[in-house]
């Protein structure tokens, strides 16, 4: 086959596979968003549809999530617009390894030279790029760009970069490697508990059953572990990989009249409740089949 023909066939295959599945990203996800301070040394540097959070210190910064591969220029511009340097990012971590939250990590690692750390399951996916069979969305989502060097951590480990410490909490369910992050940020003497809580939506490919998956048999126990984290973790400000899942834009608008509008000590429990309702509906639908 000639080169051009081969290219056409490839394009056609890609188009067909996108039509059959959810390969295309939602165009709203990559809308630009001006970077802003969430609280203290914590900044929002993501796009309007996908979160990316920078936690800064004079000795180095931590970046949580890399959104889509196409989001990288926006994230980079946002970080620079705040006056921070890419090469001062020492550590990049992730919520879960789907293309809309981890797609930009390979490129961000190249640009910053940062360490990348992930749960064991997520680290394997990052190193291989491919979506594994025990991901509930196996077969419907595009793989991420492979990440060259990935370190791993265990549940509850504290990761330090510069003067920033973030704690990893395994919150599986949406994927077997899902991770949430907690840290403290201060303004003067007032320090708050911040939580970056991973998605816990029971979304899957057709044919996958959370009630009886051979590939992911402990999915329901995993959701319980994750709900119990959200119900018990100190939580002053909640941020989620999809900002609208925690009403970030409404809360930000309210901040014009109320400087504490991002603070909601019930937000993590409310999020757990929301995801639990979705799981309950999903399980009822699976059992009625
Ligand atoms: Zn996802």
């Amino acid at each position: 086959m000639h080169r051009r023909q081969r290219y056409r066939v490839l394009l056609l295959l890609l188009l067909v596979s996108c039509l059959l599945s959810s390969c295309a990203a939602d165009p709203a996800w990559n809308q630009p968003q001006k970077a802003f301070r969430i609280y203290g040394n914590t900044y929002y540097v993501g796009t309007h549809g996908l979160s990316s959070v920078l936690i800064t210190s004079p000795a180095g910064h931590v970046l949580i999530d890399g959104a889509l591969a196409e989001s990288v220029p926006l994230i980079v511009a946002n970080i620079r617009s705040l006056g921070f340097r890419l090469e001062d990012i020492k550590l990049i971590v992730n919520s879960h390894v789907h293309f809309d939250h981890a797609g930009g990590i390979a490129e961000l690692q190249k640009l910053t030279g940062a360490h990348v750390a992930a749960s064991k399951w997520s680290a394997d996916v990052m190193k291989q790029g491919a979506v594994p069979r025990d991901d509930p969305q196996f077969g419907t989502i595009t793989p991420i760009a492979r990440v060259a060097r990935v370190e791993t951590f265990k549940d509850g480990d504290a990761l330090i970069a510069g003067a920033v410490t973030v704690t990893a909490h395994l919150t599986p369910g949406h994927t077997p490697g899902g991770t949430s992050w907690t840290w403290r940020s201060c303004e003067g003497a007032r320090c708050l508990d911040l939580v970056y809580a991973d998605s816990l939506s029971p979304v899957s490919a057709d044919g996958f059953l959370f009630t009886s998956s051979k590939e992911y048999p402990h999915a329901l126990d995993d959701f319980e572990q994750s709900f119990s984290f959200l119900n018990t973790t100190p939580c002053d400000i909640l941020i989620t990989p999809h900002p609208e899942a925690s009403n970030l834009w409404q809360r930000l608008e309210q901040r014009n009249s109320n400087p504490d509008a991002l603070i909601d000590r019930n937000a993590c429990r409310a999020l757990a409740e929301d995801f639990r309702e979705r799981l309950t509906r999903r399980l009822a639908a699976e059992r009625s089949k």
Side-chain angles (χ1 to χ4, degrees), residues 10-33:
L10 267 177
L11 264 185
L12 189 71
L13 280 175
L14 187 70
L15 183 71
V16 170
S17 76
C18 286
L19 288 172
L20 292 175
S21 72
S22 57
C23 118
D26 184 333
W29 284 348
N30 214 36
Q31 291 299 310
Q33 168 64 47

Side-chain angles (χ1 to χ4, degrees), residues 223-234:
F223 275 110
E224 286 309 321
Q225 173 189 329
S226 302
F227 294 149
S228 114
F229 161 75
L230 282 179
N231 282 327
T232 53
T233 193

Side-chain angles (χ1 to χ4, degrees), residues 9-285:
V9 170
L10 267 177
L11 264 185
L12 189 71
L13 280 175
L14 187 70
L15 183 71
V16 170
S17 76
C18 286
L19 288 172
L20 292 175
S21 72
S22 57
C23 118
D26 184 333
W29 284 348
N30 214 36
Q31 291 299 310
Q33 168 64 47
K34 194 171 184 289
F36 61 92
R37 186 195 296 266
I38 295 172
Y39 188 80
N41 61 339
T42 300
Y43 299 85
Y44 188 94
V45 294
T47 66
H48 191 68
L50 296 168
S51 299
S52 189
V53 167
L54 185 71
I55 311 162
T56 64
S57 80
H61 319 316
V62 175
L63 184 71
I64 308 179
D65 272 356
L68 300 163
E70 305 90 289
S71 311
V72 170
L74 295 172
I75 295 172
V76 165
N78 276 349
I79 292 166
R80 289 186 172 141
S81 76
L82 295 167
F84 297 113
R85 302 187 320 158
L86 290 186
E87 52 270 39
D88 291 335
I89 297 175
K90 302 298 178 201
L91 173 67
I92 299 174
V93 294
N94 172 232
S95 54
H96 67 274
V97 277
H98 285 161
F99 69 101
D100 47 345
H101 310 291
I105 289 180
E107 182 66 17
L108 285 163
Q109 184 186 45
K110 280 183 209 147
L111 293 169
T112 60
H115 291 263
V116 172
S119 65
K120 169 82 177 65
W121 189 91
S122 298
D124 288 345
V125 180
M126 284 185 183
K127 284 184 267 187
Q128 289 158 16
V131 180
R133 290 193 159 270
D134 56 345
D135 185 320
Q137 294 184 57
F138 170 78
T140 63
I141 48 169
T142 46
I144 59 162
R146 280 157 67 164
V147 182
R149 302 175 311 282
V150 188
E151 292 150 37
T152 57
F153 52 73
K154 292 189 300 300
D155 191 23
D157 279 358
L159 278 59
I160 300 169
V164 178
T165 303
V166 290
T167 303
H169 306 269
L170 297 186
T171 47
H174 181 76
T175 69
T179 308
S180 297
W181 296 94
T182 59
W183 67 99
R184 276 169 87 71
S185 283
C186 305
E187 288 186 358
R190 188 193 196 201
C191 296
L192 298 179
D193 289 301
L194 279 79
V195 179
Y196 190 87
D198 190 18
S199 307
L200 286 170
S201 46
V203 181
S204 78
D206 285 348
F208 179 95
L209 296 175
F210 286 98
T211 44
S212 60
S213 167
K214 282 196 186 69
E215 276 79 26
Y216 189 7
H218 48 92
L220 297 186
D221 291 341
D222 280 5
F223 275 110
E224 286 309 321
Q225 173 189 329
S226 302
F227 294 149
S228 114
F229 161 75
L230 282 179
N231 282 327
T232 53
T233 193
C235 179
D236 293 316
I237 296 181
L238 168 67
I239 308 146
T240 48
H242 291 277
E244 71 278 5
S246 47
N247 303 317
L248 181 62
W249 306 124
Q250 290 94 313
R251 289 187 289 145
L252 192 65
E253 207 177 304
Q254 288 161 12
R255 198 159 71 167
N256 294 329
S257 51
N258 167 16
D260 283 349
L262 290 191
I263 302 172
D264 175 1
R265 296 195 171 84
N266 197 44
C268 285
R269 284 189 293 272
L271 185 72
E273 191 60 30
D274 189 35
F275 282 133
R276 183 183 284 287
E277 274 170 27
R278 290 174 66 175
L279 183 64
T280 303
R281 280 200 301 274
R282 166 70 193 235
L283 299 186

